[in-house]
Amino acid sequence: MTGTPRYLALDVGAAITRIAVDDTGSELMTGKTPPGSMRDNVSRALRTAPRPAGRLCVTLPDAWFSGSVPAARQYEEVRYACEDELGLGRIIWVGQLAAVAAGQAARRGPGRYLIGDIGYTGVRVGSFTVSGTNVRTEAVLTQDGGGWADFDQAVRAAVDGDQLPGDWYEQAKTQAERAAEVFKRAAASPDHGDDRAYRLAGRREHRLTARQMTACFAPVLDRLRAGVSAVLGAGPPGTVVLTGGLAWFPLAGQAIRDMLAQEPVIAGTGESVRGALLFARAEMSQDLPAGLGPVSLPVHRVHDGFLREESLELPWTEPFAGPPGKMPPLDREELILRVGGQYRTFRLPGLVPGPHLIGVRPGWSGPGVLVVRPAAGGSAHVVSLDEAAGP
């Protein structure tokens, strides 16, 4: 592609990094995600991608938007790399599962979506409500392990390791209909446990039984069921979507049918980055959690020789309240804010006096967090908005 793209979307998965550009939804770049932190991989991808003339949407793990302090610290590290080190502006940050929900809702309409992502390193399940073009995160459970990497290793162990080609699953996908029937028979009667589910060609032909494949998939299945159970408190879904490297495996869809009596939608690869492009183009937006109150910073300024108190709003939808030049320098390890009409004091141990950027981040779980970032750079102070001391 030549020229400057207007909109760009980036999704960095554990195994694959994808970039989508403009309103075609096509992938501009797809490559393996190298080992490293999310911060390093996002930064690396954006350094090699074309810089958009308009908005950029970056997807991150949905758990990072929960409002917990440890999650918010990881989120802020990535933001700092993009906003300060790379100098990128107009960035929209969304959860990876939320982006999948947005893409599905753009095709299927509003409603409650349950998204199950069986990815490379683990299983994530989330519940999302889409009203019009607004996407709200209701609940998410992330579980490490039991993803594609573990499943692939278990299958290889069942057939003596390195005898299978790297793309053995492509062969398996072509046998999906037959395998699904074999799994149903085996679930109904143990007499069918040794029925062949797959025939896979490698250096030699391998016969994989229903019992073998069920055992290999058991850790995945346990996590998928736990995730679905955990997020159902948000309400029954209207649409269930399975995505990720193991969405195609018949036992995943069967688990959804057993638990919810619904036929899941099996999403293709790249769903998250295509959904993110909708946020970049402002065709979808994030719905703020209910009950968010105003947060403001009391500041004292001199007007006509008199000291007057003003209130500087900390908007939930902007990175920070304003540039450092318009912010009073902080000289103490505490900050007084007005939260929901009440003055509250937040402790900031180790704060170095000087100008800081001050902002708030909403969380789909909890009250959100306060972020105080040194204007000169460095790690941000992150404090939960419900952890204030006294007035």
Side-chain angles (χ1 to χ4, degrees), residues 321-333:
K326 294 185 179 180
M327 301 290 290
L330 302 182
D331 55 8
R332 296 189 300 171
E333 294 185 346

Side-chain angles (χ1 to χ4, degrees), residues 118 217 221 224 242 246-257 264:
I118 310 175
F217 196 70
L221 200 56
L224 181 61
L242 289 177
L246 275 176
W248 60 271
F249 195 69
L251 290 180
Q254 189 57 53
I256 297 300
R257 288 186 285 271

